[in-house]
Amino acid sequence: MKTMRFLLSLLPLLLLLHSLPYSAAARKHNPHNNPINSSHLVRSSCSHASYPNLCIHSLSTYAGPANTPRDLAQAAVNVSLSRARRVSGYLAKLSNSDQGTKRERSALSDCIDLMSESVDELTRTLDELKHLHAETFRFQMSNAQTWVSAALTDDDTCLDGFEELNVKVKADMKRKVTNAARVTSNALYLINRLDESRGRPRSKP
């Protein structure tokens, strides 16, 4: 009887020891402690985006958390902001080269201003999404939608101005700005999706 009681007392310890290898393996394959179904969340959320394949790729390779619709919206804006900054830097380098006609330089200058505005608007959007509160949720989401829509308009307006540029520069710029515009469009879709779901923000953002 004593032996049986002794073995029963050891049972919790044996179960704990048995689970340790699995826990270590899980941490190894899931270092950010993201839910196992985070990949499913990305795919299901991106399935009806304007550019679903780009949406899935950009969010699947995103280094931050992507556990909730709010996380995905933030990640999408982060990706869009990164692309906009990259394009802005590229355009600044072109401007410093002091090449092209006066009309081409003027079109490039306009595009630089537009992309700078896009960066500012996406920065404000990201800050808003990071500090959502239940009592002001709809107002904050309206702000985010307005700013991302404006950033997308800036990208499109920049693209429209490419007709003033020579073919070689126009092709390279169009590719870069088009990519930035597409990830911004996806970000707007995910923000709209978050608003429609009326997702409740965490109590302590």
Side-chain angles (χ1 to χ4, degrees):
M1 194 67 169
K2 290 182 178 180
T3 302
M4 181 62 70
R5 288 177 179 174
F6 176 72
L7 291 175
L8 289 174
S9 68
L10 290 178
L11 184 59
L13 178 60
L14 292 173
L15 290 173
L16 175 62
L17 292 174
H18 177 72
S19 68
L20 287 178
Y22 172 80
S23 298
R27 284 193 298 271
K28 180 179 180 181
H29 294 288
N30 191 22
H32 297 292
N33 292 320
N34 290 339
I36 300 302
N37 66 349
S38 61
S39 176
H40 173 72
L41 177 62
V42 169
R43 290 184 175 277
S44 62
S45 299
C46 290
S47 60
H48 297 294
S50 301
Y51 306 95
N53 291 334
L54 178 60
C55 180
I56 292 171
H57 175 73
S58 61
L59 293 180
S60 296
T61 57
Y62 181 70
N67 307 333
T68 67
R70 179 183 175 183
D71 289 338
L72 290 182
Q74 287 187 33
V77 175
N78 248 319
V79 171
S80 181
L81 178 57
S82 176
R83 301 289 172 88
R85 284 173 173 164
R86 195 180 306 169
V87 172
S88 187
Y90 167 77
L91 296 177
K93 287 183 179 179
L94 282 181
S95 178
N96 291 335
S97 66
D98 197 30
Q99 296 180 359
T101 66
K102 183 177 180 180
R103 292 182 63 187
E104 289 171 348
R105 290 197 301 271
S106 177
L108 179 58
S109 177
D110 290 341
C111 201
I112 289 173
D113 291 340
L114 289 165
M115 292 308 301
S116 178
E117 290 177 9
S118 181
V119 168
D120 290 342
E121 288 151 354
L122 292 170
T123 300
R124 290 198 295 270
T125 302
L126 185 59
D127 184 65
E128 194 81 318
L129 293 178
K130 287 180 177 179
H131 299 90
L132 292 175
H133 301 284
E135 63 275 12
T136 56
F137 179 77
R138 295 308 297 270
F139 174 72
Q140 291 179 284
M141 292 305 298
S142 178
N143 285 340
Q145 290 162 338
T146 298
W147 292 329
V148 176
S149 295
L152 185 57
T153 298
D154 290 336
D155 294 345
D156 291 338
T157 304
C158 180
L159 284 170
D160 291 340
F162 285 165
E163 299 306 318
E164 301 292 334
L165 305 178
N166 67 66
V167 176
K168 182 177 183 303
V169 173
K170 181 170 69 175
D172 200 26
M173 288 178 62
K174 184 174 182 178
R175 177 177 59 82
K176 293 178 184 297
V177 179
T178 296
N179 182 269
R182 287 177 176 177
V183 293
T184 300
S185 178
N186 286 338
L188 179 59
Y189 168 76
L190 291 173
I191 289 172
N192 289 338
R193 194 169 186 270
L194 176 61
D195 187 29
E196 291 167 2
S197 69
R198 294 173 181 264
R200 293 184 63 83
R202 290 184 288 267
S203 58
K204 293 182 179 180

